[in-house]
């Protein structure tokens, strides 16, 4: 088990938002999204700085978005190549993937 990462924070700014992990020294891993109406969101960017590499930070960010989307009855459009790859690796997320 890797070191426990800090808690993921959700910053909701109306039609856009981001999930962020804040690390030591001000490092931030983030995944940004855009809301489409009430029931869909586009994951448009994931950025994980070197401080978080190898810790599964990007996967944790996508997983949190999946959990939140599932709880809210929303669908995700993973435009970000990283998020898209994670959806391909996790068929159990198919219920929240916008087809």
């Amino acid at each position: 088990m890797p070191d426990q990462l800090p808690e993921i924070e959700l910053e909701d700014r109306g039609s856009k938002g981001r999930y962020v992990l804040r690390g030591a020294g001000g490092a931030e891993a983030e995944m940004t999204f855009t809301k489409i109406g009430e029931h869909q969101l586009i994951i448009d960017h994931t950025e994980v700085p070197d401080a978080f590499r190898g810790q599964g930070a990007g996967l944790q960010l996508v997983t949190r978005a999946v959990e939140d989307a599932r709880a809210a009855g929303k669908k995700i459009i993973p435009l970000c190549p990283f998020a898209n790859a994670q959806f391909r690796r996790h068929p159990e997320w198919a219920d929240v993937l916008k087809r």
Side-chain angles (χ1 to χ4, degrees), residues 15-19 30-36 40-47 58-69 75-87 93 96-98:
S15 65
K16 292 189 173 289
R18 71 179 187 148
Y19 290 95
E30 71 168 1
M31 184 186 70
T32 61
F33 62 86
T34 303
K35 296 178 195 168
I36 306 297
Q40 296 178 55
L41 62 93
I42 294 171
I43 296 176
D44 40 34
H45 180 69
T46 306
E47 186 166 332
L59 174 58
Q60 286 196 32
L61 291 167
V62 179
T63 300
R64 168 70 189 273
V66 167
E67 291 167 353
D68 287 358
K75 297 284 187 186
I76 294 175
I77 303 165
L79 287 187
C80 159
F82 176 81
N84 197 322
Q86 294 302 320
F87 268 89
W93 296 349
V96 299
L97 179 62
K98 175 71 176 165

Side-chain angles (χ1 to χ4, degrees), residues 4-7 9 20-29 49 51-52 55:
Q4 186 60 37
L5 287 167
E7 189 167 333
E9 296 174 39
V20 63
L21 277 165
R22 297 181 206 285
E28 288 186 349
F52 287 103
Q55 300 176 54

